[in-house]
Amino acid sequence: MAEPAEPQARLEKLVRAIAANMVADVCSIYVRRTSGALELFATQGLKPEAVHATRMAPGEGLVGWVADRRQPLSVTNAPAHPSFSYRAETGEDPLQAFLGVPVVRSGQVLGVLVVQNRTQRRYTDDEIEAAQIVATVLAEIVPTGDLLDEADTKEAQALLEAPESGRGAAVSAGIAIGTVALLEPDSRTHKVFAESVAAEKTRLEDAVAGLQKSVDEMIATDAKVAGVSREVLEVYRLFAYDRGWVRRIEEKVLSGLTAETAVEQVQAENRERMRAAPDPYLRERLHDLEDLSRRLIRALQGLEGPPELPEGAILMAETLGPAELLELSTDRLAGLVLADGGGTSHAAIVARSLGLPFVSGLPGMVESARPGDTVIVDGDTGEVHLRPPSDALRSYADKKAMRERRLEAYAALRDEPAVTKDGALIDLQMNAGLLLDMPHLKETGASGIGLFRTELPFLIGRTLPTAAEQEHLYREVLRAAGTKPVVFRTADIGSDKRATYMTQPVEANPAMGWRGLRVSLDREGLFRTQLRAMIAAAGGRELRVLLPLVTTVEEVEAARGVIEKELSRRKRGRKPVPSSVIVGVMIEIPSAAWSARSIAAASDFVSIGGNDLAQFFFAADRESALVSSRYDPLCPAFIGFVGRTISEAKAAGRPVGYCGEQASDPLMALVLMGLGLRSLSVTASSVAPLKAMIRSVDLGALSGWLNETLAAPSGELRREVEAYAEAAGVALPSWA
């Protein structure tokens, strides 16, 4: 490649060298044009006159098959393959065996590398891997001008810079226009090819050893904590010490790549393999490999901690946890786009608290994004536009301005009550989880904090928060709320909510495992410390405590017993106690919903947690992008179940509210009101739009219509509710 020669001569020499090394009768390089066609650019073994004359249409032939699927194809009898396309001008008649691998960079297929043989031979795994390594090298140098002439290089670069649009799951509302930031270190900050293979191999070995040492130290530290399982970290360590993973990186370094580029290429290959795996546990392991790869690249680059973000950053990543999100410079963050992550994940909850537009379920776009690219995120519709044209930028700038004007109109209702046209008062509260959420209470005019998620401080830090730290937080929250009530939900830890220092056992189905109140009752020391902090913070004012994931009456009674112990302890110390302690329960499990009357009778109030209740009702993991969108909670079956739960809880004489994120959906909120609920706790951004809607509703008419509709359900409840709202003049929130 370093020899002085014209690009075409270099290509021809390259295919001759590959054919000789792989003992192939033919080696060809196809380059993708901006039209999508794949043009034969160089060959050893086919007719020379076919070069630049043979073009495969998008998806045509075995070459098109490889490009479309972005994966290798090895066949012993190419003409028998259903995708085979015969091209007489190439002279390919006697060829049988075919091996094609895609040339991929930044998620874009730039071309296809092909080797062929006359015999019906089977290419070995080593040969396929060797071809992939060559394709990796081609992917790095095709856009640089080393292989193509100036015009062709510009066309290859245009593929990488082409606009992309997609629609994912709308997770958090709002519109953001900004620049791409990635969790992975920017590949442009390091070289592609090594100046010294030996020196690069040493760099890699040192970085891997340092990574393994850091994992060992984590395990050694956690081993000192009695009774805490080390299984999670042990699995993580297995990946760090996996010789197969390290060997694949070493092989790419030995081929002439820098260690950083080698790690990135193996990381991309692992993503493809893991996404195709049918086993959900194996797919989850992708997160471990992603984390290890990012750590290794940062170690190679001498970096520590999370990446620095530019102003107006749109973070694009495979996955993201709530702690990772909060470690970033959130004042510079304008929006989020993730490949994976459901609308009720805790990264989503934090994003809503921060007012960040968030779209998930776009793995291809995340893969093709590059730092510095312009991107538009529409968290209202789920649309994302990467490298958008100027007319799209203007259109979304206008839409964003219109949205801001509508928000100003909503702000005028801040101090008005949430009262329906026929005089029914709706207690419209907001959800929170961080101290930085509290200013929203005044800004939105919410009547209080219906759900303060206390687990977020447990997830953000590197160690368990002390009693003093928790007390300070709860006191500040109560101070910021003033005279408005605050409902503190005890730490709902488990499932997807784990900090780096938490090492609980690996569970096949963690959403239905050791989490919520189960953890609190089994780890009474943790529970009592939190309650002690809440009681101290409340001083002489009322304290409202909400117990998550309640299953049985016995659990409620056990939890109340622990609360009484802490109250007695404080009284013995002659310290002020709350004027009253009101204990509520969250109904999030179908069995608990079925026992709502008895569970409600053992508590002071009931709050229905719609997110978990729906995922268990539909047997669809709310964290899975594959199934979380396959059900609509606004369907007759679920609404009937919720209606029964409300009636049973009310029969025990207890107030009932709804604190699921679903209540932020205006159509769902209408139905809940029609079912008899008079208390909703929603995201801060939803308070004002819902208040405007509530003030336009005749609740008596709505309840009558809903009862008739549910008596003869059609299965299209969402559409019917929307039609009713339009006919009745209900002011549904809209940014159009």
Side-chain angles (χ1 to χ4, degrees):
M1 293 306 303
E3 294 179 1
E6 292 298 314
Q8 188 64 42
R10 289 179 179 172
L11 275 173
E12 291 168 357
K13 186 171 183 179
L14 181 60
V15 292
R16 287 198 298 271
I18 296 170
N21 277 276
M22 296 193 68
V23 195
D25 296 314
V26 170
C27 176
S28 306
I29 294 174
Y30 292 81
V31 174
R32 184 174 167 226
R33 316 303 282 176
T34 50
S35 65
L38 289 153
E39 180 179 324
L40 180 62
F41 256 62
T43 186
Q44 168 65 29
L46 297 180
K47 291 181 178 180
E49 55 266 32
V51 173
H52 298 301
T54 295
R55 281 196 174 195
M56 311 295 288
E60 181 186 356
L62 302 184
V63 174
W65 189 100
V66 171
D68 275 4
R69 291 163 176 77
R70 297 196 309 174
Q71 65 186 56
L73 175 65
S74 174
V75 294
T76 57
N77 185 1
H81 193 281
S83 295
F84 179 77
S85 175
Y86 175 68
R87 289 301 188 92
E89 76 273 13
T90 65
E92 64 180 350
D93 300 72
L95 298 171
Q96 297 292 318
F98 173 96
L99 170 61
V101 295
V103 178
V104 182
R105 183 178 183 183
S106 296
Q108 294 291 335
V109 175
L110 300 182
V112 176
L113 172 66
V114 174
V115 295
Q116 296 170 276
N117 283 85
R118 293 186 178 89
T119 59
Q120 290 191 3
R121 60 167 294 192
R122 185 178 301 278
Y123 296 101
T124 67
D125 289 343
D126 286 343
E127 288 173 318
I128 295 172
E129 189 165 353
Q132 288 179 297
I133 290 173
V134 173
T136 295
V137 176
L138 287 174
E140 299 297 338
I141 59 180
V142 161
T144 65
D146 289 333
L147 281 182
L148 310 180
D149 61 28
E150 185 176 354
D152 292 328
T153 298
K154 287 182 179 178
E155 193 164 351
Q157 289 173 335
L159 285 172
L160 296 174
E161 297 168 0
E164 287 187 48
S165 294
R167 184 186 290 270
V171 176
S172 179
I175 294 173
I177 303 172
T179 57
V180 169
L182 304 176
L183 279 181
E184 289 83 359
D186 187 354
S187 61
R188 295 178 299 181
T189 63
H190 61 76
K191 295 180 180 179
V192 175
F193 300 107
E195 295 179 1
S196 167
V197 171
E200 209 63 26
K201 185 171 182 291
T202 300
R203 284 184 67 231
L204 176 63
E205 290 171 349
D206 290 344
V208 169
L211 174 65
Q212 292 169 344
K213 181 182 177 183
S214 69
V215 175
D216 288 340
E217 288 173 348
M218 277 195 294
I219 292 179
T221 301
D222 282 290
K224 298 173 185 176
V225 182
V228 178
S229 171
R230 300 193 302 162
E231 190 172 346
V232 173
L233 284 178
E234 291 289 0
V235 171
Y236 190 74
R237 178 160 67 175
L238 285 176
F239 279 102
Y241 277 88
D242 178 35
R243 278 301 306 163
W245 177 60
V246 176
R247 178 180 57 79
R248 291 197 301 275
I249 300 172
E250 287 176 345
E251 287 174 351
K252 293 185 184 295
V253 168
L254 293 175
S255 73
L257 299 179
T258 59
E260 290 91 339
T261 303
V263 176
E264 288 171 345
Q265 292 297 330
V266 171
Q267 184 180 17
E269 292 167 9
N270 284 332
R271 283 176 185 165
E272 293 299 326
R273 292 192 185 103
M274 290 293 191
R275 284 175 183 160
D279 187 343
Y281 177 78
L282 289 178
R283 290 198 300 271
E284 280 298 310
R285 299 287 59 78
L286 172 63
H287 300 170
D288 292 333
L289 288 170
E290 289 279 336
D291 188 355
L292 284 167
S293 297
R294 286 196 288 262
R295 285 172 184 259
L296 187 53
I297 293 173
R298 290 199 180 102
L300 286 163
Q301 296 184 338
L303 301 175
E304 293 183 4
E308 284 295 320
L309 299 179
E311 291 290 341
I314 307 292
L315 184 66
M316 301 185 74
E318 286 284 320
T319 59
L320 188 70
E324 286 180 296
L325 175 54
L326 288 162
E327 283 177 348
L328 296 169
S329 302
T330 51
D331 57 327
R332 296 188 172 194
L333 196 57
L336 291 171
V337 179
L338 296 187
D340 298 313
T344 52
S345 69
H346 282 77
I349 290 169
V350 173
R352 293 190 191 105
S353 294
L354 297 171
L356 294 173
F358 180 6
V359 174
S360 71
L362 292 171
M365 192 170 292
V366 168
E367 188 173 352
S368 62
R370 296 172 301 166
D373 283 344
T374 299
V375 63
I376 299 170
V377 180
D378 189 334
D380 299 326
T381 65
E383 292 179 86
V384 176
H385 303 275
L386 185 62
R387 299 180 289 270
S390 56
D391 57 343
L393 282 169
R394 286 193 296 270
S395 175
Y396 269 92
D398 291 343
K399 185 176 180 181
K400 186 177 181 182
M402 189 176 298
R403 193 179 196 279
E404 289 169 353
R405 288 195 294 272
R406 180 63 63 90
L407 286 173
E408 290 175 3
Y410 287 151
L413 296 175
R414 183 186 65 184
D415 298 324
E416 298 295 326
V419 178
T420 64
K421 289 170 66 175
D422 50 346
L425 177 65
I426 306 299
D427 187 15
L428 190 56
Q429 301 177 308
M430 62 167 261
N431 302 331
L434 300 165
L435 195 55
L436 59 84
D437 293 330
M438 296 309 294
H440 298 324
L441 187 57
K442 182 177 180 181
E443 294 165 5
T444 62
S447 60
I449 303 295
L451 172 66
F452 190 92
R453 299 179 173 91
T454 62
E455 63 271 6
L456 291 181
F458 288 78
L459 303 175
I460 297 166
R462 300 188 181 277
T463 59
L464 193 71
T466 65
E469 290 169 339
Q470 293 183 62
E471 180 184 337
H472 174 74
L473 169 64
Y474 305 146
R475 182 175 285 111
E476 287 300 303
V477 168
L478 290 168
R479 184 191 60 77
T483 58
K484 293 183 176 181
V486 177
V487 175
F488 289 107
R489 184 177 70 183
T490 59
D492 187 7
I493 296 170
S495 186
D496 64 314
K497 293 166 282 185
R498 301 185 186 184
T500 55
Y501 61 85
M502 295 179 185
T503 55
Q504 60 196 80
V506 173
E507 296 178 284
N509 201 340
M512 294 194 287
W514 197 54
R515 53 170 293 207
L517 186 59
R518 298 165 181 175
V519 174
S520 295
L521 294 176
D522 288 350
R523 295 287 181 266
E524 191 173 310
L526 182 149
F527 190 35
R528 292 187 68 164
T529 299
Q530 184 174 32
L531 292 171
R532 191 173 303 162
M534 288 181 182
I535 291 168
R541 66 181 286 175
E542 177 186 86
L543 174 62
R544 300 190 181 193
V545 178
L546 183 60
L547 305 174
L549 208 78
V550 169
T551 308
T552 64
V553 171
E554 289 75 18
E555 287 180 341
V556 180
E557 292 170 345
R560 297 196 78 145
V562 177
I563 294 171
E564 285 301 321
K565 287 180 186 177
E566 283 304 315
L567 285 170
S568 298
R569 178 182 181 277
R570 189 155 179 91
K571 289 174 183 176
R572 287 196 304 271
R574 300 184 181 279
K575 295 178 180 178
V577 295
S579 57
S580 62
V581 178
I582 300 175
V583 181
V585 294
M586 287 196 76
I587 300 293
E588 303 170 88
I589 302 172
S591 64
W594 202 255
S595 306
R597 186 180 303 199
S598 58
I599 289 176
S603 61
D604 299 315
F605 68 97
V606 171
S607 187
I608 298 174
N611 298 336
D612 269 321
L613 188 60
Q615 83 162 340
F616 295 132
F617 183 86
F618 292 102
D621 183 1
R622 63 188 176 101
E623 297 297 325
S624 170
L626 296 174
V627 297
S628 62
S629 61
R630 298 185 67 159
Y631 69 83
D632 183 359
L634 192 55
C635 75
F638 184 66
I639 293 304
F641 187 62
V642 170
R644 180 192 181 281
T645 305
I646 294 169
S647 298
E648 286 294 297
K650 282 188 171 183
R654 301 294 187 266
V656 186
Y658 204 92
C659 66
E661 301 291 320
Q662 298 159 356
S664 296
D665 174 357
L667 297 180
M668 185 69 168
L670 273 178
V671 170
L672 292 171
M673 289 161 54
L675 291 174
L677 278 183
R678 298 295 180 266
S679 177
L680 302 174
S681 189
V682 298
T683 59
S685 60
S686 300
V687 171
L690 286 182
K691 183 183 287 187
M693 182 191 75
I694 289 166
R695 291 172 63 86
S696 70
V697 172
D698 183 322
L699 192 53
L702 170 65
S703 299
W705 172 85
L706 184 62
N707 288 334
E708 292 178 6
T709 302
L710 292 177
S714 67
E716 296 290 334
L717 186 57
R718 179 172 292 277
R719 182 183 58 78
E720 292 180 4
V721 175
E722 192 167 16
Y724 170 83
E726 184 176 353
V730 175
L732 292 176
S734 171
W735 309 114

